[in-house]
Structure formats: C-alpha cells, structure tokens
C-alpha cells in the first residue's frame, strides 16, 4: 500500500460518499487479509498434540507468535517456523494447519499472492 503525503485536508474533496468509502475499505481488508495458520506440535505417534503458535502468512513472509507469548518471529514462510517447534530428541514434531480462507484468493499459495497484489 502506498504511503500518503500529508496535505491540508480541508482543501481536498472526499473520494466518494461515506457508505461507499466504507465498502471500498472493507473490500480491501477482505482482499488483502493475511492467511492464518496454527503451528501444531505432536508428541510421538499420535500420543498427544497441541497448538504451539499462531501465524499470519503474507506475500514474502510470515509472522508467528507462540501461544505462551514467549516467542515472536518473522520467517520467510509458514513452513520455516517448523524447525523452531520441532524437537526430535523429545519425539516432538510440528506441522502447519491452515485455517479456512476469508475468500478464494486466500486459498492461493503466498508466493502467488505476491503476484496477484502487483497486478
């Protein structure tokens, strides 16, 4: 999204009516919402499981926050977070569980989203 140069707004006309402007902004939120996911840890061969972190996938990177609040990280993609949550010595593996997308555009892979936002 482009940054806006600050102007004296008293001399500028609104782009459209209040309801139409709200509708445009709401559409932008849906169109460009990040894809949500959980990092799930599994102990042994289906002996136990829990979610360890929540994340948001953006074009080009993902943000991940551990459920205990003790870890926040920015990674290249959602799968890059798995190594932090995997402990082979303790027989703990990790995987990504994608939440349902807000719209069909979000079903695309994050790399495809970067291209779609540029078009």
């Amino acid at each position: 999204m482009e940054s806006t140069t600050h102007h004296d707004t008293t001399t500028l006309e609104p782009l459209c009516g209040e309801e139409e402007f709200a509708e445009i902004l709401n559409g932008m939120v849906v169109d460009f919402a990040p894809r949500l996911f959980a990092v799930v840890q599994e102990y042994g061969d289906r002996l136990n499981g829990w979610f360890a972190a929540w994340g948001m996938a953006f074009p080009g990177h993902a943000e991940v926050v551990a459920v205990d609040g003790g870890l926040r990280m920015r990674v290249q993609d959602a799968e890059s977070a798995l190594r932090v949550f995997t402990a082979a010595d303790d027989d703990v593996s990790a995987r990504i569980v994608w939440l349902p997308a807000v719209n069909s555009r979000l079903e695309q892979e994050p790399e495809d989203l970067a291209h779609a936002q540029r078009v």
Side-chain angles (χ1 to χ4, degrees), residues 37 39 62 64 73-85 96:
F37 63 92
V39 178
V64 181
M73 59 183 167
R74 180 182 181 134
V75 291
Q76 183 176 352
D77 53 34
E79 289 73 19
S80 297
L82 295 178
R83 66 176 180 244
V84 174
F85 294 96
I96 300 296

Side-chain angles (χ1 to χ4, degrees), residues 4-113:
T4 306
T5 305
H6 295 283
H7 296 283
D8 179 5
T9 59
T10 59
T11 62
L12 301 173
E13 291 292 320
L15 296 173
C16 54
E18 207 172 307
E19 284 183 31
E20 183 181 357
F21 191 67
E23 187 176 318
I24 290 169
L25 290 177
N26 291 346
M28 289 172 55
V29 167
V30 170
D31 287 345
F32 296 100
R35 186 80 193 275
L36 302 179
F37 63 92
V39 178
V40 176
Q41 290 181 311
E42 298 175 11
Y43 176 66
D45 184 14
R46 294 166 288 148
L47 297 175
N48 199 355
W50 56 91
F51 57 94
W54 292 103
M56 296 185 293
F58 297 92
H61 78 282
E63 300 287 335
V64 181
V65 179
V67 295
D68 67 5
L71 175 69
R72 299 178 70 96
M73 59 183 167
R74 180 182 181 134
V75 291
Q76 183 176 352
D77 53 34
E79 289 73 19
S80 297
L82 295 178
R83 66 176 180 244
V84 174
F85 294 96
T86 299
D89 291 347
D90 295 329
D91 205 16
V92 175
S93 60
R95 64 183 175 92
I96 300 296
V97 176
W98 292 99
L99 275 69
V102 175
N103 67 37
S104 61
R105 180 195 63 79
L106 295 176
E107 294 293 344
Q108 301 172 36
E109 291 298 317
E111 299 80 38
D112 297 336
L113 293 178

